[in-house]
Amino acid sequence: MSVNVLYKTQAKATGGRDGHAATLDGALDVKLTTPKELGGGGGAGNNPEQLFAAGYAACFIGAMKFVASQGGPKVPADASVTSTVGIGPRSEGGFGLDIALAISLPGVARADAEALVAKAHQVCPYSNATRGNVDVRLNVV
């Protein structure tokens, strides 16, 4: 499958989970730290799972807005997505992710919200990237 790329960004990481990451344009610059749960010291800084969770949550709202622009129910201004991303060893070896999205669409009827979320899950690039690799649980709250 080909992609008609409309936007690109580049980021460079050094030092792995206890290092540094930044976009080459300087818009994002973060210190990386390994959580204690993964054997690190924790402390100030971020980790790849936090960055992924934030990106997925924001992108999913964008996907819902896109679906709404195509005739779906309007996405309220106070809509939110809470993305929970876990990491751990896989039974098949290596490491894997565990992802859940809690979607809040205040004022949207539950059936309409669930239909909007299902359609957004089909167009969201993060959902498309994880499909077939990670079971993403969707929950309208």
Side-chain angles (χ1 to χ4, degrees), residues 71-107:
K74 185 176 185 304
V75 175
D78 56 349
S80 66
V81 174
T82 301
S83 174
T84 302
V85 175
I87 184 172
R90 297 174 352 124
S91 58
E92 301 86 356
F95 290 85
L97 297 176
D98 178 81
I99 302 171
L101 301 181
I103 302 102
S104 174
L105 294 161

Side-chain angles (χ1 to χ4, degrees), residues 41-97:
N46 297 100
N47 61 63
E49 292 71 37
Q50 290 171 320
L51 299 172
F52 186 87
Y56 202 162
C59 192
F60 201 85
I61 291 174
M64 290 191 298
K65 289 180 177 181
F66 174 80
V67 169
S69 77
Q70 305 295 304
K74 185 176 185 304
V75 175
D78 56 349
S80 66
V81 174
T82 301
S83 174
T84 302
V85 175
I87 184 172
R90 297 174 352 124
S91 58
E92 301 86 356
F95 290 85
L97 297 176

Side-chain angles (χ1 to χ4, degrees), residues 22-47:
T23 55
L24 297 189
D25 65 5
L28 176 72
D29 192 320
V30 294
K31 178 182 187 281
L32 301 173
T33 59
T34 302
K36 289 181 181 181
E37 297 85 348
L38 295 178
N46 297 100
N47 61 63

Side-chain angles (χ1 to χ4, degrees), residues 68-141:
S69 77
Q70 305 295 304
K74 185 176 185 304
V75 175
D78 56 349
S80 66
V81 174
T82 301
S83 174
T84 302
V85 175
I87 184 172
R90 297 174 352 124
S91 58
E92 301 86 356
F95 290 85
L97 297 176
D98 178 81
I99 302 171
L101 301 181
I103 302 102
S104 174
L105 294 161
V108 179
R110 183 158 195 91
D112 291 340
E114 288 174 350
L116 176 68
V117 165
K119 289 177 184 171
H121 191 48
Q122 295 305 308
V123 300
C124 176
Y126 279 68
S127 294
N128 287 331
T130 57
R131 187 169 291 110
N133 298 307
V134 179
D135 180 30
V136 177
R137 295 176 308 284
L138 305 171
N139 184 30
V140 176
V141 295

